[in-house]
């Protein structure tokens, strides 16, 4: 995606994910397990792949066709909050870019994302001019333990 909106969004999400990446040699696989919920056509999957293993979830069949073509990503059909296809998978970072404002049951959706988090994990939400990061502790039923918010200037 060459449009400034998508480029800006990718830079914001990349900078946030970078903060949670374990330190190591540049270019070395750092082993994060990332899931882009509402991955659309898969543009963020390509960017996220440099941080570790990537999964995507998308409810739209047309978008799925394109997302399935992204190398280095496993993409499933599904949606929030009731149709996340994960029973055993757990993630270090979940991204929801321009997603929550389209979900009717947003609080349940955030709680469902917490349920597939691994230990201390991070959910990055990007929507309507702001980016927010929520930190979840090991108990999936707990609410976010801290929040940081980066507003677009």
């Amino acid at each position: 995606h060459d449009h400034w909106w998508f480029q800006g969004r990718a830079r914001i999400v990349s900078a946030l994910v970078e903060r949670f990446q374990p330190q190591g040699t540049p270019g070395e696989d750092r082993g994060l397990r990332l899931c882009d919920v509402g991955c659309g056509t898969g543009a963020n999957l390509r960017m996220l792949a440099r941080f570790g293993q990537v999964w995507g979830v998308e409810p739209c069949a047309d978008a799925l066709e394109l997302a399935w073509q992204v190398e280095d990503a496993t993409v499933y059909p599904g949606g929030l909050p009731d149709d996340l296809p994960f029973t055993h998978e757990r993630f270090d970072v979940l991204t929801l870019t321009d997603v929550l404002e389209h979900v009717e049951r947003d609080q349940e959706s955030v709680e469902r994302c917490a349920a597939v988090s691994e230990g201390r994990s991070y959910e990055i939400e990007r929507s309507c001019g702001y980016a927010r990061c929520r930190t979840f502790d090991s108990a999936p039923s707990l609410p976010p333990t801290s929040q940081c918010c980066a507003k677009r200037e």
Side-chain angles (χ1 to χ4, degrees):
H1 290 89
D2 293 332
H3 192 273
W4 64 268
W5 176 266
F6 297 110
Q7 289 178 0
R9 179 180 70 182
R11 282 195 301 270
I12 290 168
V13 172
S14 179
L16 288 170
V17 172
E18 183 92 26
R19 292 168 47 184
F20 309 119
Q21 181 174 328
Q23 296 301 311
T25 306
E28 148 187 328
D29 177 17
R30 303 222 171 75
L32 285 178
R33 295 173 53 85
L34 305 104
C35 182
D36 190 16
V37 180
C39 68
T41 60
N44 280 342
L45 298 174
R46 291 178 185 89
M47 177 272 296
L48 292 171
R50 71 178 201 186
F51 296 105
Q53 291 181 285
V54 180
W55 287 259
V57 177
E58 175 57 42
C60 175
D62 291 336
L64 270 172
E65 291 296 324
L66 294 171
W68 281 329
Q69 296 174 28
V70 176
E71 293 182 24
D72 301 322
T74 303
V75 182
Y76 296 105
L80 288 172
D82 300 321
D83 196 24
L84 277 186
F86 307 113
T87 54
H88 302 293
E89 293 90 343
R90 295 294 178 262
F91 303 100
D92 302 305
V93 176
L94 290 98
T95 58
L96 294 89
T97 55
D98 301 316
V99 169
L100 284 180
E101 69 270 27
H102 301 288
V103 177
E104 227 174 276
R105 295 168 20 224
D106 55 351
Q107 182 60 40
E108 287 177 60
S109 297
V110 169
E111 291 168 2
R112 180 64 180 113
C113 287
V116 296
S117 67
E118 178 64 46
R120 188 158 181 85
S121 64
Y122 305 93
E123 172 193 305
I124 298 170
E125 303 167 18
R126 184 8 214 111
S127 177
C128 301
Y130 75 90
R132 176 173 44 201
C133 169
R134 297 173 190 256
T135 305
F136 296 104
D137 282 324
S138 58
S141 61
L142 292 176
T145 57
S146 67
Q147 295 183 14
C148 59
C149 191
K151 289 187 179 179
R152 187 179 71 171
E153 303 276 328

